[in-house]
Amino acid sequence: MSQVVLQCLQYYGAAAGTVAALIVSLDLGRKWTGWGFVIFVTSSIALVAWGFLDDKAEGIGLQNVALFAINCVGVWRYLLRRKSPH
């Protein structure tokens, strides 16, 4: 795998995760939080890909498999579910 592609996956995953964390932490409402989780999902996908394509990043890949599942729950809860959780 090209080092450029691996670096793009790594840095996109880190940047997207940071932006998503900021959006979720601002607590701007269900819709914004849901979109923050969508960004988290893309971050997890990039970091899973990077983790399993780069010999030295498997731990990040495994961690992001779990985070991907958690983030999908967030998307479902804040964007797809019709009933408010409260």
Side-chain angles (χ1 to χ4, degrees), residues 30 33-42 68-81:
R30 289 180 59 80
T33 299
W35 283 106
F37 276 110
V38 169
I39 297 169
F40 267 137
V41 166
T42 68
F68 174 79
I70 292 166
N71 295 330
C72 286
V73 170
V75 169
W76 175 77
R77 183 167 188 220
Y78 287 96
L79 280 183
L80 302 176
R81 188 167 92 173

Side-chain angles (χ1 to χ4, degrees), residues 53-64:
L53 293 173
D54 188 324
D55 298 350
K56 299 174 185 166
E58 189 174 299
I60 292 295
L62 287 171
Q63 176 188 33
N64 275 277

